[in-house]
Amino acid sequence: MLPVNRLEPLIVPRPEHPISRANISPNALKVLNRLKQAGFEAYLVGGGVRDLLLGHEPKDFDIATNATPEEVREVFRNCRLIGRRFRLAHVFFGREIVEVATFRGSNAEAGSDAQVTEQGMILRDNVYGSITEDALRRDFTVNALYYNIADFSLVDYAGGLADIEQGCLRLIGDDPVARYREDPVRMLRAVRFACKLGFIIDPDCAAPIRELAGLLGEISPARLFEETLKLFHSGYALHAFEKLRHFDLFAQLFPETDACLAREEQAFPITFVSRGLDNTDRRILEGKPVAPAFLFAVLLWEPVRLRYQTLLAEGLPSADAMALASHEIASAQQRRVAIQKRFALPMREIWALQPRLERRQGKRPLMLLSHPRFRAAYDFLLLRAEAGETDPELAQWWTRFQEVDAAERGKMLGSTPERKRKRRRRKPKSAPPAAGSAGPAEAAAAAGDPSARRPSGPQQGSGTTND
Ligand code: ATP
Ligand code: MG
């Protein structure tokens, strides 16, 4: 890399670029203007500038300044300082948060208090610096464009404008391997931005990814969870899945699933995941909510299913086999991608309900209808049927069972194939319920009010983003 101080930026004056204040959030503008009035430099930077140049609606607006976080706090009453890894100021406007970061310096500088591992990974880089240094420590050229509130010009230190024109995602600097080593998550970000923006990854930046994919093992499972959600809940999940597999990155995030997909002879495991992700993308496109529990249930189903089959063959009852398979696979997964408990529990319920959906005799189907996770489990069953993994007749039966009236339901219950089979003996009462089994209160409510929720295509569960 060139010595940073000698780099001359390309400055594009206001009349020669399309970014207008009308497209910037009023609150971000307020922050920029107040910093300027207080005598500081202030720029809009990162995804906000990139997306405005591409004609997309930015997700959020980040601001970079030469004011220290403490100085930012003095300017804004509605401000909190956050972050250990990077110290940032958050300025609050009701529900909107505008993030203000102080220009960060180069880690290589003598006397800096940045910490780097033997592999070159940055542990802490809370060193303040100039705007030039700040630009060059960002990840991709297209993410290092600055909109200057002082004169409304665009400032480009890294060639981001040319790369936006060409649709090219390029790491800043001339050593992509070093940039991935500094922060291996940049490999996932490369895939994410390539999908989101429809850009190609510059060949020099794409080339080392496969070899370096294993570095993701050094990243905390909590951070990988955040990145995984961004990859799969932004409207391009199917594309991201294919690209992640192409770069051997998927195996780093979902090793058990990847091993199944790699060795399966049948097509349905891939079909199942692809359809699940496609379904998620379509819901996002239509503005419908999506549920992390459903997403992870889809992504981990194949290893759960295989383990479940093995345990069944070993003679375990189906509920126990599913509970154990879920527990094993979910626990192994936590070591890579930490699925928060509030998502892991409903995910396991979706799996636990799969064998229960196969039982169609007596009061059980009516009770299942009012299970809080019924809707998600039914959608999951539809996907399994569509992928050819389970009998479509079962899915059709459940679709119809929700649509018809009570009299018709009675008839359906009387004519299921299971009806003719011998009844299994009840388990002793002391046996602990498997995950997802109905508790007594729920069963009573279900018996009293078997109200149907009408199906209207795959819903991914109860319709909240937090499920
Ligand atoms: P979006 O918010 O649309 O996902 P973004 O580019 O704004 O995209 P953020 O994760 O919000 O991405 O990060 C904001 C900016 O911070 C980026 O544009 C980039 O300049 C810088 N940045 C973020 N993560 C890294 C990283 N791992 N390495 C270097 N720079 C980063
Ligand atoms: Mg952003």
Side-chain angles (χ1 to χ4, degrees), residues 46-47 50 59 62 138-139 143 183 186 189 192 196:
R50 178 199 68 213
K59 218 172 58 191
D62 296 326
R138 290 178 183 270
D139 49 4
N143 284 350
D183 183 0
R186 289 174 185 156
R189 289 173 62 87
R192 180 156 74 84
K196 172 178 166 140

Side-chain angles (χ1 to χ4, degrees), residues 45-48 50-51 58-62 99 189 192-193 196 230:
V45 65
R50 178 199 68 213
D51 290 350
K59 218 172 58 191
D60 43 40
F61 291 94
D62 296 326
E99 198 167 281
R189 289 173 62 87
R192 180 156 74 84
F193 292 125
K196 172 178 166 140
K230 285 185 195 167

Side-chain angles (χ1 to χ4, degrees), residues 154-167:
L154 262 186
V155 190
D156 178 5
Y157 287 91
L161 281 170
D163 284 336
I164 286 214
E165 292 257 306
Q166 286 169 26

Side-chain angles (χ1 to χ4, degrees), residues 45-51 57-62 85-86 99 104 122 125 134-140 142-146 171-172 179 182-186 189 192-193 196-197 223 227 230 234 236:
V45 65
V49 179
R50 178 199 68 213
D51 290 350
E57 195 185 326
K59 218 172 58 191
D60 43 40
F61 291 94
D62 296 326
R85 193 179 140 81
F86 302 138
E99 198 167 281
R104 232 168 269 143
I122 299 172
D125 63 347
D134 187 80
L136 298 180
R137 57 146 288 283
R138 290 178 183 270
D139 49 4
F140 300 99
V142 298
N143 284 350
L145 293 164
Y146 294 72
L171 283 162
I172 295 172
R179 303 311 313 270
E182 280 173 5
D183 183 0
V185 168
R186 289 174 185 156
R189 289 173 62 87
R192 180 156 74 84
F193 292 125
K196 172 178 166 140
L197 309 174
R223 189 166 175 219
E227 291 301 321
K230 285 185 195 167
S234 302
Y236 42 78

Side-chain angles (χ1 to χ4, degrees), residues 194-248:
C195 295
K196 172 178 166 140
L197 309 174
F199 279 23
I200 60 140
I201 302 175
D202 168 68
D204 289 343
C205 299
I209 294 182
R210 270 201 200 97
E211 207 170 303
L212 299 178
L215 293 175
L216 284 172
E218 295 165 24
I219 304 300
S220 83
R223 189 166 175 219
L224 291 183
F225 174 78
E226 298 299 330
E227 291 301 321
T228 302
L229 266 198
K230 285 185 195 167
L231 278 159
F232 291 115
H233 266 176
S234 302
Y236 42 78
L238 182 55
H239 193 182
F241 170 64
E242 285 160 0
K243 258 206 183 347
L244 288 171
R245 289 197 80 211
H246 171 80
F247 284 115
D248 294 346

Side-chain angles (χ1 to χ4, degrees), residues 3 80 116 132 143 153 166 184 222 276 286 299 307 310 328 331 343 380 394 423:
R80 268 221 329 254
V116 179
T132 324
N143 284 350
S153 64
Q166 286 169 26
E286 291 163 13
L299 287 167
R307 185 71 186 124
T310 307
E328 287 178 9
S331 305
F343 305 130
F380 199 81
L394 180 65
R423 273 179 166 262

Side-chain angles (χ1 to χ4, degrees), residues 91-104:
V91 187
F92 292 85
F93 297 90
R95 293 180 62 183
E96 191 184 357
I97 299 174
V98 178
E99 198 167 281
V100 184
T102 305
F103 295 144
R104 232 168 269 143

